[in-house]
Amino acid sequence: MSRLSKVGLVCGYAALAVAAAVAHLSPTSGYELSIYTATPPPYWIAVGVALFVSVLIAFTSTGILRSGSLVLAVGSMYSIGSLPLARGYYFYGSADAMTHLGWTADLLTGRLPVLDLYYPGLHSTTLLTSTLSSIPTRRAMLLFVSLFLLAFVAFSFLAVRAITTRQTDTTFAVFAALLLLPITHLTTHYINPHPISDAILLIPLGLYLLARYITDSERDRPLTKLGILLALYSTATLLYHSMQALHLLILLGGIVLIQFYVRVRSNFFESATASFSRITEHRPVYVQTAFLAGLFLLWNLNRDRTVNAAEGFVSEFSSLLAGTGQSATYVQSRGSSLSAIGGDLVEVFAKMFLPSAIFCAITGILMIGVFFGRLKQDSDADAFVEYLCAALVGLLVFDVLLLIAGDTSDLFFRTLGAVMAVVTVLTVFAVPRLLDWAPISLPEKPRRIGAMVAIGLLLTASVPTVYASPYIFQTNGQVTEQQMTGHEILFEHEMDDTQIAALRNGPWRYYHAIYGVETSEERISRMKQNGVPFGTLGSLQATYQTDQYVALRESDEEREAGVYRGLRYDGASFDSLDWQRDVHRVTSNGGFRAYLVDKGGSA
């Protein structure tokens, strides 16, 4: 079996090399509606073989063969996660990512001081990566963000190994992390530069440092290397995104409550469970929690974004109590739009959240078992499970509060991403405990076969949702060079006082990416309010009362006529633009075109 495993591992790495070569030799030539269908089939066959081999060997071998199979699995998934880089995408992410690219340009030119930026982590590290590697800022940003996949997997493995040395647990930790459950494509994204999403993928790093910190043999010393590292992680998290720092504060708060409760209880009762006794020996996280809380308040004090978010939450929560909340209306609206384009809410939920739902169900059963005192095994591991369960309860309570605050309901899915990062690690501890708790004990071989089948099916369900695509009724976030240069030409040559409109929203994100965010706020604010009204693309003269530019990307027509099936703008209206009266094409480069709606009739 050992020799066969070695041959299989060699074949797996050969398949991964073939996949990498195919991706590199198949550069993008324009906008791609789906990165999955645009990437050649031989790539998917090769990377599929590599993943299959990695799963098979990981659960049937030990030692260096098992380690090699885990590296193969991570390499295969990173190959998928870095496809935009391998295939030469100009940039990825046409919404928030463009603004973050603009802020990076502002930092580079000195228009924006680092500490004036609310979350400077992504932007400053991007500039550092660009400087050290001598590659363009936009590509350095994508390269840096892609590394978060590796960090998420590596520290999920290390966090589990810091608590338990069971081989099956650490193996499962790697594959569980490869599912990328925190990425929902609603308000958390991958490869799309997005600070909150990136910071969420670093939660396992925090869990690893916490596991090492609380079990540190030097716990009696007031200052240790691990304590300094944990404080640095907290600081970095705050600089990367304040909301993720809040998530971390809630997580630490849950651990504080458990430690405080156990210590108070141990003072009154001599008998305690093994894990409770172990908790009393753990280093308290009181100082670390107080440090982050103080830092959070100091950083957010008098920040307009913080004040506005807090006021919005209070307002929406008050509306809910008064019976006028908007969350139900929001969900109903989204569901109606999905039905209108032939989608099914249950189907889309299953595609996007089925693996997450399975992990949540397993974790939920574990939490019930912890509550009733049923799962007591290894003391350090049990203590860590209880810590994570307490942290998870805190995050869920916070998430529910966000959900019921209508206008801030997008924050619900950001916190859900943090919840799923914790659930990913917690499920690793849950599975073996639930199997041991079961009334029927399965032999080792059926367990291994079941694990391989389960992991294979979960990976099959997760790979198609690494990127946004029509599979989940979304479009690829690719930004092409033609789109950028086309917008730049239009911005440079537009007539004074003539506004620029675009579909669904104005082209202000491109203005951010090209010229920076700290430019003309008045000009950008006009673009933000200037989306082409739904259903009017075929009658622009009747829609506007003054001269107007209309900017269209190749991706707009693919999205509206293809994925959304003409819900807001149909295919015929795109075709009509070149023959509408007094609507003139002023620039076009294959990936971008712009029209002038001439109300004077002189053009």
Side-chain angles (χ1 to χ4, degrees), residues 538-601:
S539 54
L540 294 177
Q541 273 290 333
T543 302
Y544 295 105
Q545 304 305 312
T546 59
D547 289 353
Q548 182 81 29
Y549 289 107
V550 176
L552 296 176
R553 302 166 298 173
E554 179 186 4
S555 57
D556 290 329
E557 185 169 1
E558 296 261 13
R559 179 190 67 231
E560 300 298 338
V563 180
Y564 298 156
R565 302 181 187 180
L567 179 65
R568 299 289 184 249
Y569 312 96
D570 58 32
S573 62
F574 285 95
D575 297 335
S576 72
L577 289 170
D578 286 320
W579 52 261
Q580 286 186 42
R581 181 177 59 85
D582 292 330
V583 175
H584 312 285
R585 184 186 294 201
V586 293
T587 184
S588 177
N589 63 11
F592 173 86
R593 51 183 168 146
Y595 294 86
L596 172 65
V597 182
D598 182 11
K599 296 302 294 186

Side-chain angles (χ1 to χ4, degrees), residues 313-384:
F313 177 79
V314 172
S315 174
E316 289 303 318
F317 191 74
S318 300
S319 298
L320 175 76
L321 296 178
T324 58
Q326 300 180 30
S327 294
T329 303
Y330 173 83
V331 174
Q332 184 179 9
S333 173
R334 287 298 182 95
S336 298
S337 297
L338 187 61
S339 299
I341 60 176
D344 180 77
L345 193 59
V346 175
E347 175 192 355
V348 173
F349 177 86
K351 289 178 178 179
M352 297 176 69
F353 295 111
L354 183 58
S356 297
I358 293 172
F359 272 55
C360 286
I362 294 172
T363 300
I365 297 172
L366 174 69
M367 293 175 72
I368 294 172
V370 168
F371 181 79
F372 286 105
R374 295 291 304 274
L375 302 176
K376 301 297 177 186
Q377 298 176 1
D378 173 62
S379 58
D380 260 344
D382 283 333
F384 198 61

